[in-house]
Amino acid sequence: EYQKESRLIPIVGPFGSGLDTLICDLKSRITAHFTQRSITRQNHPNDERFIPVSREKFFNLLRNNQIAFHWSTYGLNYSIPIRINKFRLNGTDIIFNFFRAALNNLSRSCSDLEIIQVTAAPTILKSHLILPGRETSKELNKRMSRIIKIMP
């Protein structure tokens, strides 16, 4: 019996561009495995859905080969769990929220990528960055002025 190849579909874009909204909408429209990423911080109100882990647990997962992909930014560690590989083996597409600046590393290790890039107007992005209240004005302005080459 023919088994289709799975695709890794990272969804990337700046905070506030609607990644979580898009992912929620896709869940009701397509068949795929939607994996949650782990982040070394606690949940905040109105936050994306993710698995909070301590730095100790993150590095333990990494040492024990429980992480498929990982990256660090803004002083935090992020990961996609190794269990996505069981879905890849049975031909299921995997969709996940990913970090734009880590796409080059991901593309070097995966040939089955189909990247979805999301963006929004700078005024919308800034208003969404202000809401969580996690960053100072200086950090917010630095984040808004960042220019990243997004596609590998």
Side-chain angles (χ1 to χ4, degrees):
E1 182 177 325
Y2 176 77
Q3 194 155 335
K4 78 173 186 95
E5 283 190 38
S6 70
R7 297 172 297 169
L8 284 177
I9 307 172
I11 299 181
V12 300
F15 181 88
S17 61
L19 300 177
D20 297 323
T21 301
L22 175 60
I23 289 170
C24 284
D25 188 56
L26 288 174
K27 284 179 181 179
S28 67
R29 295 173 182 254
I30 63 173
T31 301
H33 174 68
F34 292 83
T35 194
Q36 288 183 322
R37 59 189 183 171
S38 294
I39 306 175
T40 55
R41 71 171 171 82
Q42 293 302 309
N43 284 310
H44 294 279
N46 303 319
D47 222 343
E48 69 173 280
R49 289 195 174 137
F50 67 91
I51 301 164
V53 296
S54 66
R55 289 180 56 78
E56 180 182 350
K57 179 164 182 166
F58 174 86
F59 287 109
N60 191 32
L61 290 168
L62 192 58
R63 273 190 304 276
N64 291 306
N65 297 316
Q66 296 300 305
I67 293 176
F69 315 114
H70 65 94
W71 64 100
S72 298
T73 188
Y74 302 114
L76 300 172
N77 302 102
Y78 296 75
S79 68
I80 301 297
I82 195 75
R83 69 179 170 271
I84 65 166
N85 288 340
K86 74 177 183 180
F87 295 97
R88 292 178 81 182
L89 289 173
N90 72 17
T92 302
D93 293 335
I94 297 122
I95 298 175
F96 52 96
N97 186 333
F98 199 66
F99 182 55
R100 294 172 295 164
L103 281 173
N104 283 329
N105 290 339
L106 184 63
S107 68
R108 282 188 212 113
S109 61
C110 300
S111 61
D112 53 351
L113 286 182
E114 290 191 22
I115 300 162
I116 297 174
Q117 178 185 339
V118 180
T119 191
T123 54
I124 292 171
L125 297 176
K126 189 168 187 174
S127 69
H128 284 110
L129 279 170
I130 291 169
L131 285 176
R134 292 193 304 250
E135 295 170 321
T136 65
S137 291
K138 185 177 179 181
E139 291 168 333
L140 184 91
N141 289 332
K142 182 179 177 183
R143 197 163 173 177
M144 287 299 298
S145 67
R146 247 181 6 156
I147 298 173
I148 297 175
K149 293 191 182 219
I150 1 185
M151 303 311 270

